[in-house]
Amino acid sequence: MDFFVFWSTFKDMLRPARVFPWVALAVVLSLVSLLWVNMSRDPLGAVKYGVLVRLIVYRVVALSAAMFTMAVVAQDIEQKTIVYTVTRTTPRSVMVVSRTLAAVAAVALMSWLSLIGVGYVFLGGGMFTQGMFWMDLVIMLLGAGAYCALFVFVTLVLNRAMLAILF
């Protein structure tokens, strides 16, 4: 892994224009959770938190991984870094792995925003003391790694990868 490639890709993925939709999605999920809590007659807690996280928030990982991994291979063409690969002694495999790890980090951060919002609404300030919350954080990190690896592989193999990834 090349730290410079990782850091420059990570900064590019966390530009405000790219992050805004995911922050907005986290806010919307938090507001939906708040609406559910306010309209429910039953006391809500860990069980409802688990249901909502598994039904909706885990899907954020897959969707954000699909969007962020498109940049891993596309940056060679869009940002002309293929010239950098040819002129420098950095192998293309190192570039792809570094960019993929940056995508994993960005996907994990964006999905954790949604998890923290939903967790705060359902579990309150004590969400950091709940074991299930920490397990969900780890599961999302592992899911980000798995989805990003799969989607980068599909991107490298297929020409129209976005259609295959969305299916």
Side-chain angles (χ1 to χ4, degrees), residues 15-37:
R15 286 188 329 224
R18 287 191 179 191
V19 170
F20 177 74
W22 303 107
V23 172
L25 179 63
V27 169
V28 167
L29 285 175
S30 300
L31 292 175
V32 166
S33 300
L34 187 63
L35 182 67
W36 191 3
V37 167

Side-chain angles (χ1 to χ4, degrees), residues 111-130:
S111 60
W112 286 347
L113 288 175
S114 298
L115 184 68
I116 289 170
V118 170
Y120 184 75
V121 169
F122 278 104
L123 303 174
M127 70 181 169
F128 295 112
T129 62
Q130 298 285 330

Side-chain angles (χ1 to χ4, degrees), residues 64-98:
S64 62
M67 296 303 141
F68 280 111
T69 55
M70 288 294 108
V72 170
V73 176
Q75 280 183 341
D76 281 344
I77 293 133
E78 291 173 3
Q79 295 180 350
K80 310 283 191 273
T81 57
I82 195 75
V83 175
Y84 180 74
T85 306
V86 172
T87 58
R88 297 266 307 184
T89 58
T90 306
R92 186 161 191 257
S93 60
V94 171
M95 298 281 279
V96 170
V97 167
S98 300

Side-chain angles (χ1 to χ4, degrees), residues 3-59:
F3 185 74
F4 174 75
V5 175
F6 170 84
W7 188 249
S8 64
T9 304
F10 186 66
K11 285 191 315 188
D12 182 55
M13 288 182 178
L14 293 183
R15 286 188 329 224
R18 287 191 179 191
V19 170
F20 177 74
W22 303 107
V23 172
L25 179 63
V27 169
V28 167
L29 285 175
S30 300
L31 292 175
V32 166
S33 300
L34 187 63
L35 182 67
W36 191 3
V37 167
N38 287 335
M39 295 189 71
S40 178
R41 295 176 190 204
D42 305 346
L44 299 177
V47 174
K48 299 295 183 185
Y49 161 81
V51 168
L52 189 66
V53 165
R54 279 151 190 83
L55 284 177
I56 298 173
V57 179
Y58 281 170
R59 306 239 191 306

